Amino acid sequence: MLIGIPDVIHIIVRNYRNNAFASRLFLSIIVEYSRTPQFMTFLSLIKSGIITYDWRGYTSKTGKYSGKNHGNAWRIKPNAKAELFGEIEKVEL
């Protein structure tokens, strides 16, 4: 168990149009709830390449993204989330 991390909630928001010329934009919101990830499973998935570290630490002196740093992130392949988090309950809003 990861210390200090409660059960996990993911909020997935998707915007899409029903076709390329449509002016109507549809919004889909899905909430996923799961248990706390297991640390040893997390390490195992890193070793197997299912979880990767995304280095996004950069800043630009000029331009649209000047001074922004979006931070770094752990990425997991979507079809492997249940392996890390166990059963995932989904609620579509």
Side-chain angles (χ1 to χ4, degrees), residues 1-8 33-39 84-86:
M1 179 165 94
L2 293 175
I3 298 172
I5 298 177
D7 291 345
V8 178
Y33 175 81
S34 64
R35 66 167 168 74
T36 302
Q38 300 299 309
F39 187 66
L84 178 62
F85 295 104

Side-chain angles (χ1 to χ4, degrees), residues 2-64:
L2 293 175
I3 298 172
I5 298 177
D7 291 345
V8 178
I9 295 176
H10 296 106
I11 299 174
I12 303 161
V13 179
R14 295 188 178 110
N15 294 317
Y16 58 93
R17 297 184 188 282
N18 60 355
N19 66 48
F21 302 104
S23 60
R24 295 185 75 175
L25 183 66
F26 296 91
L27 179 66
S28 168
I29 301 173
I30 299 171
V31 176
E32 294 180 343
Y33 175 81
S34 64
R35 66 167 168 74
T36 302
Q38 300 299 309
F39 187 66
M40 295 308 293
T41 304
F42 178 73
L43 294 178
S44 171
L45 294 174
I46 290 171
K47 288 179 184 177
S48 67
I50 292 172
I51 292 179
T52 57
Y53 185 70
D54 187 0
W55 175 257
R56 303 180 301 178
Y58 69 90
T59 58
S60 302
K61 292 183 180 182
T62 61
K64 184 177 178 181

Side-chain angles (χ1 to χ4, degrees), residues 80-91:
K81 286 195 307 187
E83 191 173 344
L84 178 62
F85 295 104
E87 184 179 341
I88 298 173
E89 295 180 38
K90 294 184 180 184
V91 178

Side-chain angles (χ1 to χ4, degrees), residues 64-78:
K64 184 177 178 181
Y65 300 105
S66 65
K68 294 193 181 197
N69 180 343
H70 293 281
N72 305 310
W74 291 102
R75 303 252 183 214
I76 185 168
K77 294 181 180 179

